[in-house]
Amino acid sequence: MLASGFTAAPVTRYIFFGIIVSSLLVSVTDAKYLFHIQLVPHLWRYKQFWRLLTWQSCYNNSTELLFGTMTLYHLRIIERLWGSRKYASFIVTTLPLSLLIPPFVLAILRPLAFSTLNILPAGPTPLIYALLAQYYATIPTTYKYRVLISSSPAEAFTFSDKSLVYLLAAQLALSSLPGSVICATVGWFIGVAWRRDAGPDMWTNWRIPAWVTGEKRQRGGDFEELRRRLEGEGRGAGSAVDGAEGEVRRRGFGTGILDQFRGAF
């Protein structure tokens, strides 16, 4: 768990650098206008429903990119805990909901807000918050510390080693109000629903093929190495026992009787 970088977290590494590269390409090619969602006119007027599949491909500004990637980097511990196969399966099964539910929620809230809610910012914020829900429920707090705001010990804020992750995630949720809050809230509830099995069994129990993450080959190699080590140790132990039995037979019965009482006097 204390390994640095993306050790034992290859899926997170691909997503991390994929977000950075796609965001840079969109910025360089001046194609930012293609990735956010506006109910009016993108969906209602122009029928650009393809945006429902592409709006989480990148971030449109450096602030969201910074806080999104930093939060994702700290959440790599989930992949180390679960393994790459379960982690990738979680992303695959929750991604369709994180793509479709935020626009649906925005469409419901828009009339209630007198049409002031209309935009969803680009970026995988719902997916990151779905992972954050797993981080909150799975990773225990290692230590806590207090920050005094005055000379009185009673006036202090208590933080933990997880506070930095929550602070980064909060900055991400507040970066493009009000749409970013909708994305974060929906993503959090998707993560909670997945963890509580609030859906069909296939949603939480399905796994991608092992060869996708390379676990089949790696685990097979580990098992083969373990089997060879156990066989080698077994052969060594057997040889030692056979040698001891032969030594006892060569020393004779009378010497063996004397050995039982040697050192008792």
Side-chain angles (χ1 to χ4, degrees):
M1 295 294 182
L2 298 178
S4 61
F6 291 100
T7 304
V11 178
T12 305
R13 180 175 65 247
Y14 293 142
I15 297 175
F16 180 88
F17 288 108
I19 295 174
I20 294 176
V21 172
S22 62
S23 300
L24 291 177
L25 288 176
V26 168
S27 179
V28 170
T29 58
D30 198 18
K32 294 181 179 181
Y33 64 94
L34 295 175
F35 291 93
H36 70 282
I37 290 181
Q38 289 182 264
L39 292 180
V40 179
H42 293 159
L43 299 183
W44 294 164
R45 187 178 305 171
Y46 299 145
K47 312 299 181 183
Q48 296 177 349
F49 296 111
W50 53 266
R51 290 179 182 266
L52 297 175
L53 303 177
T54 61
W55 68 284
Q56 293 191 32
S57 302
C58 62
Y59 281 111
N60 278 352
N61 61 70
S62 57
T63 301
E64 292 175 325
L65 177 61
L66 174 64
F67 291 116
T69 51
M70 290 182 65
T71 305
L72 183 63
Y73 178 79
H74 285 85
L75 296 179
R76 72 196 187 283
I77 191 174
I78 299 296
E79 183 177 0
R80 293 174 180 170
L81 178 66
W82 286 355
S84 297
R85 186 183 182 190
K86 181 179 179 180
Y87 183 82
S89 302
F90 170 82
I91 293 176
V92 171
T93 54
T94 56
L95 182 60
L97 296 180
S98 66
L99 287 172
L100 300 177
I101 293 182
F104 178 75
V105 172
L106 182 64
I108 295 176
L109 296 178
R110 187 172 185 271
L112 302 178
F114 304 100
S115 300
T116 57
L117 297 177
N118 190 52
I119 300 176
L120 286 179
T125 300
L127 184 61
I128 291 176
Y129 262 81
L131 289 170
L132 186 67
Q134 314 311 311
Y135 177 85
Y136 171 80
T138 305
I139 306 302
T141 299
T142 305
Y143 60 87
K144 293 183 178 181
Y145 58 94
R146 303 180 67 189
V147 178
L148 297 176
I149 58 177
S150 67
S151 59
S152 175
E155 298 180 0
F157 293 105
T158 301
F159 299 94
S160 70
D161 56 311
K162 300 170 64 176
S163 298
L164 176 61
V165 181
Y166 299 141
L167 178 61
L168 294 173
Q171 292 286 342
L172 178 62
L174 300 175
S175 57
S176 297
L177 294 173
S180 57
V181 173
I182 296 176
C183 294
T185 304
V186 171
W188 178 271
F189 280 107
I190 290 175
V192 171
W194 186 92
R195 183 161 188 82
R196 296 185 178 180
D197 296 330
D201 292 339
M202 182 179 178
W203 188 38
T204 55
N205 296 330
W206 179 82
R207 297 291 182 268
I208 64 175
W211 58 266
V212 175
T213 56
E215 289 190 0
K216 183 177 181 180
R217 175 180 56 80
Q218 182 179 0
R219 288 185 175 180
D222 292 342
F223 291 149
E224 183 66 20
E225 181 182 356
L226 179 61
R227 182 182 64 81
R228 292 177 180 175
R229 289 176 57 188
L230 292 176
E231 289 180 353
E233 292 174 0
R235 286 194 296 267
S239 300
V241 171
D242 293 341
E245 291 179 352
E247 181 66 21
V248 170
R249 286 195 295 268
R250 287 193 297 270
R251 295 177 66 185
F253 178 75
T255 305
I257 294 293
L258 293 175
D259 288 341
Q260 299 297 323
F261 297 97
R262 186 172 296 164
F265 301 99

